[in-house]
Amino acid sequence: MQETKHKLIRFCGEVLVLVALFTVIQYLITAGMLDMYYQINLTSMCINIILAVSLNLINGFTGQLSLGHAGFMAVGAYSSVIMTQFLGQPFAIGILAACAAAAVAGFIIGVPTLRLKGDYLAIATLAFGEIIRVVLMNIDYVNGPAGIVGIDKLTTWPLLYWSMIITILVVVNLINSSYGRAIVSVREDEVAAELMGINTTRYKVIAFVIGAMFAGLAGALYAHFFYIIKPETFNFLKSFDILVMVVLGGLGSTTGAIIAAIFITVLTAALQSFPAIRMILYALILIIVMIYRPQGLMGNKEFGRETLNRIWGGRR
Amino acid sequence: MRKGVLRRLSVFVLMVFVLGIVVGCGGGDQKTGDGDKINVGLNVELSGGVASYGTNCRDGAMLAIEEINAAGGVLGKQLNPIVRDCKSLADEAMSVSAALVDEGIVAQIGPLTSSNVQGSTPVLMDNGIPLIAPAATAPNVTVDEKTGETLKYIFRVCFIDPFQGTLMAEFAADNLGAKTAAIYKDASTDYGKGLAEYFKKTFEAKGGTIVAEEGFVKDDRDFKAALTRIRSKNPDFIYVPGYYQEVAPLIKQARELGITAPMGGGDGWDSPDMVSVATAPNLNNTYFTNHYSSQDTDPKIVAFVEAYKAKYNKEPDAFAALGYDAVQLLVQAIKDANSTDPVKIAEALANIKDFEGITGKMTIDEQHNPVKAGVIIEFKDGKQVMNTRIQP
């Protein structure tokens, strides 16, 4: 009984912290204390967190090097924009369509390519991302290379925040479930996992489809905040940006991915005042971090209750 | 127990420290416009795919700002340029614009490409601050496509893409006396398609006939099949709107097939690679439209070219000239408005008439596009020579 009670209190406490964080920022926005600049960076931050956490599921936990995340983001962005701008549907339908389309794309690309390993898979996913981009460039319905301009701004802070929380919750709970243990076992040793009776392809595809789905969600949120999308926005450099966040945070650490996404967003914004040497400083900081923390900021550890308890000296 | 207290204390101190940094960052950029300075934001591409456009444009704009400040500024105040890099990304352009708005700018110059301008459009529209795009040539930059309304705070100093097609058609029909023409366009970009469409419209309006229409796509390398079909029609003029990567080998192959007809294109031809790939003899009798020519003998342009060369030790390209003109246009608007209020500057910009810029005399029309001249540049033995200036 005592244990359940503690769990309940802890759960309520966590929900309270999440709601409080949301409310504080919502208040700051309504009160006009967070101007547009901060809102834009806050949006980038949330979108980057969703992208990094979902890619970390594929790259970090499942151990499959995917370089096509921007491709899934593009699928999500375009399908949501087609829904809301061309077909006049509400944004909720647009988001659902984005998730569904990206998940389907993830399934289609995942089933054949996840038989490949290591660099072969990386090249196959990279190629897939490029295919998406080139196909979009040649579809006149979505204006080809010029992209779609004047997308209504429908992405709001509550939507962003709770999308981010849902992404993190789904990924964390998936990893802590029996599915998650199977997924991690694929990363640790695929042959051994198979010997233990785990259908490795199935778990790889599951992780891939879920990762792609959240990339689609991020794409939908991105498109409805940044006014313009074009195929060039989702080129392979975008995929690398997300990969940098995952590696910087530590492969296989969700909190690491979150911290790195926040770090990269803040760093990009902070360096805006040094236009000439901006990219040099950015690269330099990344190199320094990787020299001193080659396993990433968090390694494969999580920053959670246990860490807090250890620091704060409370009960485990 | 003491150890626990110490630990909690240190965590608390750390948290206060972090909070201090966050708050400190927030308070830092509350800059109100200094009484004797006019903040002008330069949101340009200094890194990423089109970094060379942004860098040259910034150089041109900075030259203009220096000249104006040396001459005593505007309304007795000095211009204070704030340069920021948008990394050639539309979302970054938006973020940079928001940061510039916080710095208290009266207007933003840049970015260079159409999609990056469109990225920063919502921020400037919401805050009521004018944006002058130096080189965004897509027609939908200044107009909301859905409603057809002109965007109140978005302006440009360059002509729009389709106009180049019109210009070249006039040149081909009037100056070269062409009666028949073939179009071989870059069908993978709006740029190629837009130029071809307006070339056709104007050329046919002038009584000419289009005898063949072919298309290529980006990264094509073999053009012989389509060129052979064009050769069989024997046109007086061949219009090739596209970028130099494809156009240079295309021209080489056309000449190798024995096509001697004059050929023409748009500002996508403007690159040193044209001569190195297509070779000088093959380029004879080819023409392209551009915003300006550094060889123009107009005294204003000569003075600009000399000042630019003296300062940066390089030839000013069209982006530098357009950046220079964007600043000069802004200054004219501030003078006309007799105010540094962004809304009044935007109103003045909309009413600019016969403004004398480096890239020609311009009048802003109701869609915020300048009505201005373009130049025809001819390749002569591998050198770009200005042929003529066409006033619409």
Side-chain angles (χ1 to χ4, degrees):
Chain A
M1 270 320 270
Q2 191 74 357
E3 189 58 24
T4 353
K5 204 177 153 197
H6 267 295
K7 265 191 180 160
L8 192 71
I9 291 174
R10 216 158 55 192
F11 176 72
C12 290
E14 278 161 10
V15 170
L16 220 62
V17 169
L18 289 180
V19 173
L21 183 63
F22 167 73
T23 320
V24 166
I25 296 181
Q26 179 67 55
Y27 171 75
L28 286 176
I29 292 173
T30 354
M33 283 162 81
L34 279 185
D35 60 26
M36 212 161 187
Y37 177 64
Y38 288 96
Q39 289 183 34
I40 291 171
N41 282 307
L42 210 58
T43 307
S44 298
M45 204 180 274
C46 289
I47 290 171
N48 283 341
I49 289 175
I50 296 176
L51 287 168
V53 167
S54 58
L55 184 66
N56 193 31
L57 176 66
I58 302 172
N59 283 11
F61 289 112
T62 324
Q64 307 300 314
L65 185 54
S66 164
L67 293 176
H69 224 51
F72 297 124
M73 199 183 160
V75 171
Y78 271 90
S79 29
S80 67
V81 169
I82 288 171
M83 279 294 166
T84 60
Q85 307 297 304
F86 293 1
L87 305 177
Q89 302 296 322
F91 191 31
I93 304 269
I95 289 182
L96 288 179
C99 293
V104 168
F107 186 76
I108 293 171
I109 177 74
V111 170
T113 57
L114 285 171
R115 291 159 203 279
L116 303 170
K117 286 190 185 110
D119 354 354
Y120 301 107
L121 178 67
I123 292 168
T125 48
L126 180 70
F128 163 75
E130 289 298 286
I131 289 170
I132 296 254
R133 191 171 64 83
V134 173
V135 166
L136 287 174
M137 269 189 179
N138 288 294
I139 300 178
D140 284 335
Y141 182 62
V142 293
N143 293 345
I148 303 169
V149 185
I151 302 163
D152 296 328
K153 191 171 155 187
L154 300 172
T155 303
T156 54
W157 166 246
L159 205 56
L160 269 171
Y161 184 77
W162 296 114
S163 301
M164 181 183 83
I165 297 295
I166 289 170
T167 309
I168 297 170
L169 279 183
V170 168
V171 170
V172 167
N173 284 326
L174 179 77
I175 290 307
N176 290 333
S177 70
S178 62
Y179 280 83
R181 283 189 288 279
I183 285 173
V184 172
S185 77
V186 172
R187 172 188 71 187
E188 293 300 328
D189 193 329
E190 211 174 320
V191 177
E194 204 139 8
L195 275 175
M196 296 300 287
I198 287 168
N199 184 346
T200 52
T201 311
R202 178 163 169 246
Y203 285 103
K204 281 199 264 183
V205 171
I206 287 176
F208 205 74
V209 167
I210 292 175
M213 186 182 84
F214 284 118
L217 170 67
L221 295 173
Y222 177 94
H224 288 85
F225 189 86
F226 285 105
Y227 190 74
I228 170 174
I229 52 167
K230 55 171 191 163
E232 207 52 51
T233 312
F234 306 103
N235 60 9
F236 69 93
L237 287 171
K238 183 81 192 167
S239 294
F240 281 126
D241 278 347
I242 309 166
L243 188 68
V244 164
M245 290 173 208
V246 171
V247 175
L248 187 74
L251 283 164
S253 167
T254 306
T255 38
I258 298 169
I259 291 169
I262 295 173
F263 177 72
I264 296 260
T265 317
V266 171
L267 184 66
T268 315
L271 292 179
Q272 268 177 8
S273 314
F274 311 98
I277 49 169
R278 173 182 201 184
M279 292 321 282
I280 302 173
L281 282 179
Y282 179 81
L284 210 62
I285 289 169
L286 289 186
I287 291 170
I288 291 170
V289 172
M290 285 335 277
I291 288 176
Y292 289 100
R293 292 289 294 176
Q295 71 276 49
L297 291 173
M298 292 295 293
N300 57 3
K301 300 198 174 51
E302 296 290 354
F303 183 86
R305 252 176 248 129
E306 285 74 21
T307 334
L308 269 182
N309 284 346
R310 212 164 52 238
I311 298 171
W312 201 242
R315 52 172 295 140
R316 300 217 167 170
Chain B
M1 218 43 227
R2 273 205 60 145
K3 208 178 158 196
V5 172
L6 205 68
R7 201 192 277 148
R8 284 179 199 193
L9 202 68
S10 58
V11 170
F12 184 69
V13 169
L14 198 75
M15 275 163 69
V16 169
F17 184 63
V18 170
L19 203 71
I21 292 177
V22 172
V23 173
C25 288
D29 27 340
Q30 289 298 329
K31 273 180 212 152
T32 42
D34 300 333
D36 55 342
K37 274 190 181 152
I38 301 172
N39 290 332
V40 179
L42 261 70
N43 178 358
V44 291
E45 294 89 340
L46 299 177
S47 62
V50 290
S52 70
Y53 297 1
T55 313
N56 288 336
C57 172
R58 178 202 56 191
D59 290 346
M62 293 301 275
L63 177 68
I65 290 173
E66 256 172 46
E67 285 178 3
I68 289 156
N69 282 346
V74 204
L75 307 180
K77 294 175 184 178
Q78 296 276 298
L79 292 177
N80 177 34
I82 303 170
V83 184
R84 293 283 184 273
D85 170 27
C86 74
K87 289 174 40 180
S88 307
L89 297 173
D91 49 3
E92 190 67 22
M94 183 191 262
S95 164
V96 166
S97 283
L100 285 171
V101 169
D102 279 355
E103 302 250 9
I105 56 167
V106 300
Q108 176 185 307
I109 311 276
L112 277 294
T113 63
S114 298
S115 56
N116 293 343
V117 171
Q118 283 157 343
S120 69
T121 295
V123 175
L124 294 159
M125 289 297 291
D126 286 356
N127 288 289
I129 291 173
L131 179 155
I132 304 177
T137 49
N140 62 356
V141 165
T142 55
V143 179
D144 185 337
E145 273 183 325
K146 272 184 242 159
T147 58
E149 276 173 33
T150 305
L151 297 170
K152 196 177 165 199
Y153 295 102
I154 313 296
F155 300 86
R156 65 176 129 212
V157 292
C158 54
F159 46 62
I160 58 174
D161 280 342
F163 176 67
Q164 294 194 52
T166 310
L167 213 60
M168 188 48 86
E170 282 178 6
F171 176 76
D174 299 344
N175 298 43
L176 297 176
K179 293 272 174 288
T180 56
I183 295 174
Y184 194 5
K185 67 185 172 201
D186 180 349
S188 64
T189 60
D190 284 348
Y191 172 77
K193 285 188 262 189
L195 262 65
E197 187 192 326
Y198 279 80
F199 176 85
K200 189 176 176 183
K201 224 182 253 177
T202 315
F203 194 71
E204 282 174 347
K206 291 234 168 223
T209 22
I210 304 291
V211 291
E213 248 192 289
E214 303 279 349
F216 59 87
V217 293
K218 195 171 183 296
D219 296 331
D220 270 4
R221 279 295 167 266
D222 186 30
F223 308 94
K224 292 206 175 80
L227 285 170
T228 314
R229 284 197 292 278
I230 290 174
R231 186 178 60 178
S232 68
K233 298 278 169 42
N234 198 19
D236 297 336
F237 182 78
I238 303 170
Y239 191 49
V240 193
Y243 292 101
Y244 64 92
Q245 293 95 328
E246 288 82 33
V247 170
L250 190 153
I251 291 177
K252 188 163 186 269
Q253 289 170 24
R255 295 299 187 228
E256 281 166 5
L257 284 173
I259 298 175
T260 52
M263 300 169 83
D267 60 347
W269 285 29
D270 188 9
S271 163
D273 287 359
M274 280 293 276
V275 181
S276 60
V277 175
T279 72
N282 290 336
L283 277 175
N284 281 338
N285 209 12
T286 62
Y287 309 85
F288 68 94
T289 43
N290 209 344
H291 301 275
Y292 107 119
S293 163
S294 59
Q295 291 159 348
D296 207 317
T297 48
D298 186 297
K300 270 189 86 146
I301 298 178
V302 173
F304 163 72
V305 172
E306 271 171 13
Y308 190 91
K309 270 189 188 160
K311 187 163 160 56
Y312 302 109
N313 199 21
K314 61 181 177 184
E315 192 89 10
D317 65 359
F319 297 109
L322 289 167
Y324 185 90
D325 271 1
V327 172
Q328 296 286 7
L329 187 75
L330 172 64
V331 168
Q332 183 65 47
I334 294 174
K335 280 183 193 157
D336 289 353
N338 198 20
S339 157
T340 55
D341 177 39
V343 178
K344 287 192 182 136
I345 295 175
E347 280 163 12
L349 277 169
N351 292 320
I352 291 269
K353 281 204 173 57
D354 297 332
F355 166 76
E356 288 280 357
I358 296 297
T359 59
K361 190 194 265 190
M362 51 187 110
T363 300
I364 303 290
D365 70 6
E366 70 271 19
Q367 294 202 320
H368 291 182
N369 297 321
V371 178
K372 64 191 276 199
V375 295
I376 304 281
I377 292 175
E378 181 183 2
F379 280 106
K380 257 189 192 150
D381 299 322
K383 294 246 164 26
Q384 289 189 15
V385 181
M386 182 172 149
N387 185 298
T388 178
R389 178 187 280 269
I390 296 181
Q391 191 77 38

